[in-house]
Amino acid sequence: MNQSPISSEAPWKRKLALASAQAQAADFAGVQNICAQMVHDHGDDPTALMDIGVLLLNVGFISSARHCFERVMALRPDDLRAKLNLANCAREFGQHKLANDLYSELQTQQPDNPVVRRNILVNQQYNPAAADTERFTLAKSWGEWAIAQAGGSSARPSFRQLGQIATN
């Protein structure tokens, strides 16, 4: 008698893969339907909700994604990934102050997280209320941080004019 092996894969993973394939095929109604069913069936599983929310956010269903991330936060209040994705949803909705507040909280909790730092910069670029000087100061600060993360600045190669390169 043949028995199928017991799979350790979460039961919602196959449906998520199907929803992802539908997104690739531009079947957005199918994506919404499968994701809504998964949220209904696995609404108490923060890992499932996180993955479903990421797919929905990537496809552009921001409200549905935000619902997933809010549910994850209710189940796991200290989940920084859910907070990061809630900030991303706020940014996509044009709620730049809320996004900035969430990103700032995250940066306080994880000061050397490159994703958080990058998202702060992106949020400022899309924020119509941000002054150019504020954007510049933030970008400069990010550059200084990135150089420090790389072990400090390194010597740059000497400058040679284009004509010198061709003749050498």
Side-chain angles (χ1 to χ4, degrees):
M1 175 155 102
N2 290 337
Q3 287 185 314
S4 61
I6 297 174
S7 173
S8 63
E9 183 178 274
W12 49 268
K13 290 270 187 184
R14 279 188 225 108
K15 284 187 179 180
L16 186 68
L18 176 60
S20 182
Q22 287 180 310
Q24 294 295 319
D27 178 6
F28 300 114
V31 173
Q32 280 185 305
N33 291 336
I34 289 176
C35 288
Q37 185 63 49
M38 285 192 302
V39 168
H40 178 267
D41 294 346
H42 306 284
D44 60 345
D45 183 340
T47 304
L49 291 167
M50 179 65 67
D51 287 355
I52 296 164
V54 168
L55 175 63
L56 290 166
L57 181 59
N58 289 338
V59 175
F61 295 118
I62 303 165
S63 294
S64 298
R66 181 168 54 184
H67 171 75
C68 289
F69 302 135
E70 287 170 344
R71 182 75 182 125
V72 172
M73 290 296 295
L75 294 168
R76 287 188 188 154
D78 295 330
D79 192 318
L80 300 180
R81 296 168 308 145
K83 187 181 283 189
L84 176 66
N85 281 299
L86 281 171
N88 294 342
C89 288
R91 182 189 68 224
E92 294 299 316
F93 270 127
Q95 299 170 326
H96 300 290
K97 179 172 179 354
L98 174 59
N100 193 59
D101 291 347
L102 290 169
Y103 289 136
S104 294
E105 285 178 28
L106 287 162
Q107 188 173 11
T108 299
Q109 294 167 314
Q110 294 189 332
D112 292 326
N113 185 312
V115 173
V116 172
R117 287 180 169 268
R118 180 204 62 214
N119 287 5
I120 290 170
L121 285 175
V122 170
N123 186 57
Q124 288 301 77
Q125 291 302 313
Y126 288 102
N127 184 354
D132 286 343
T133 54
E134 184 180 0
R135 289 183 181 116
F136 177 75
T137 301
L138 194 57
K140 187 176 175 185
S141 171
W142 180 88
E144 291 167 353
W145 170 82
I147 289 169
Q149 293 299 303
S153 60
S154 57
R156 306 277 302 168
S158 60
F159 176 76
R160 296 187 312 185
Q161 291 191 6
L162 189 56
Q164 292 175 329
I165 294 172
T167 59
N168 290 344

